[in-house]
């Protein structure tokens, strides 16, 4: 992941689940030449990962639904879709509103969002922390992308994925 994102990691925050906390991750973070602060969610505090849970909805559930997939053969199909079209589409063409602040008044919370939504790509270009060479590379990548072609490719890969899932489920239920 670090090699793919256009910025340096400053810290690492993980959920407490066993799918996140494992020895491979522990070794990776501890063998780094530059150590990162590594924090974990507090047990039984569901609000610690509210932003992650929101992204589970927009990045996972809206794409694949709520079903759990028990077939390891599907992993390469999912990974390919995420690594290629889905990440480009969401990062370059799917704007989101960023929460500016929360105000409590009369026992109710009012959320104030920025007035104009931006894509992650636009946020990176506006950031002073991103080097100009990285911004040039991102602009070049963006100029070569077609949102309509990406969306069509996403739909083709999803159809292939769900066809494979249906075939695997039928094979699993045969006597």
């Amino acid at each position: 992941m670090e090699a793919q994102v256009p910025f340096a990691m400053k810290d690492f925050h993980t959920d407490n689940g066993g799918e996140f906390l494992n020895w491979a991750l522990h070794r990776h973070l501890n063998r780094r030449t530059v150590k990162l602060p590594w924090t974990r969610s507090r047990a039984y505090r569901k609000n610690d990962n509210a932003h992650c849970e929101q992204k589970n909805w927009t990045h996972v559930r809206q794409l694949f639904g709520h079903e759990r997939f028990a077939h390891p053969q599907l992993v390469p199909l999912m990974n390919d879709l995420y690594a290629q079209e889905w990440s480009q589409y969401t990062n370059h063409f799917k704007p989101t509103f960023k929460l500016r602040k929360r105000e409590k008044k009369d026992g109710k919370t009012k959320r104030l969002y920025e007035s104009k939504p931006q894509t992650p790509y636009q946020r990176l270009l506006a950031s002073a922390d991103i080097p100009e060479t990285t911004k040039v590379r991102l602009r070049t990548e963006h100029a070569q992308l077609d949102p309509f072609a990406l969306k069509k490719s996403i739909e083709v890969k999803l159809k292939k994925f769900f066809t494979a899932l249906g075939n695997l489920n039928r094979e699993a239920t045969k006597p």
Side-chain angles (χ1 to χ4, degrees), residues 64-127:
F64 288 107
H66 290 275
E67 187 177 344
R68 290 195 176 266
F69 306 114
H71 305 289
Q73 301 92 321
L74 297 173
V75 173
L77 295 173
M78 293 175 87
N79 287 344
D80 179 55
L81 179 56
Y82 275 119
Q84 302 301 318
E85 293 82 5
W86 187 248
S87 66
Q88 291 176 333
Y89 181 74
T90 56
N91 288 325
H92 286 271
F93 301 107
K94 245 182 134 179
T96 58
F97 285 100
K98 194 171 189 178
L99 181 65
R100 289 282 181 213
K101 64 180 179 176
R102 286 186 185 100
E103 293 178 348
K104 282 206 169 207
K105 188 175 182 182
D106 299 329
K108 293 187 180 185
T109 301
K110 183 177 180 181
R111 293 173 181 85
L112 299 173
Y113 294 92
E114 62 189 0
S115 59
K116 182 181 171 198
Q118 291 183 315
T119 63
Y121 162 75
Q122 292 168 324
R123 292 183 200 287
L124 285 173
L125 291 182
S127 173

Side-chain angles (χ1 to χ4, degrees), residues 24-166:
L25 176 64
H26 185 267
R27 275 191 307 274
H28 172 73
L29 292 174
N30 285 325
R31 289 182 181 165
R32 294 171 49 93
T33 53
V34 177
K35 299 291 184 206
L36 291 176
W38 183 10
T39 59
R40 292 174 40 190
S41 302
R42 297 172 296 172
Y44 308 108
R45 305 288 181 139
K46 69 179 190 176
N47 288 340
D48 275 2
N49 283 319
H51 186 69
C52 293
E53 295 303 324
Q54 174 196 359
K55 293 304 174 189
N56 277 344
W57 169 246
T58 60
H59 288 58
V60 180
R61 303 292 177 232
Q62 286 182 333
L63 190 61
F64 288 107
H66 290 275
E67 187 177 344
R68 290 195 176 266
F69 306 114
H71 305 289
Q73 301 92 321
L74 297 173
V75 173
L77 295 173
M78 293 175 87
N79 287 344
D80 179 55
L81 179 56
Y82 275 119
Q84 302 301 318
E85 293 82 5
W86 187 248
S87 66
Q88 291 176 333
Y89 181 74
T90 56
N91 288 325
H92 286 271
F93 301 107
K94 245 182 134 179
T96 58
F97 285 100
K98 194 171 189 178
L99 181 65
R100 289 282 181 213
K101 64 180 179 176
R102 286 186 185 100
E103 293 178 348
K104 282 206 169 207
K105 188 175 182 182
D106 299 329
K108 293 187 180 185
T109 301
K110 183 177 180 181
R111 293 173 181 85
L112 299 173
Y113 294 92
E114 62 189 0
S115 59
K116 182 181 171 198
Q118 291 183 315
T119 63
Y121 162 75
Q122 292 168 324
R123 292 183 200 287
L124 285 173
L125 291 182
S127 173
D129 296 332
I130 304 297
E132 192 57 38
T133 55
T134 303
K135 291 180 182 181
V136 168
R137 183 178 56 81
L138 288 170
R139 286 186 192 104
T140 304
E141 180 183 317
H142 183 77
Q144 296 172 353
L145 296 175
D146 176 4
F148 298 105
L150 284 172
K151 191 71 171 154
K152 185 174 182 178
S153 183
I154 289 168
E155 290 172 6
V156 166
K157 286 188 175 183
L158 281 174
K159 184 175 182 178
K160 182 179 175 183
F161 173 85
F162 284 107
T163 300
L165 173 64

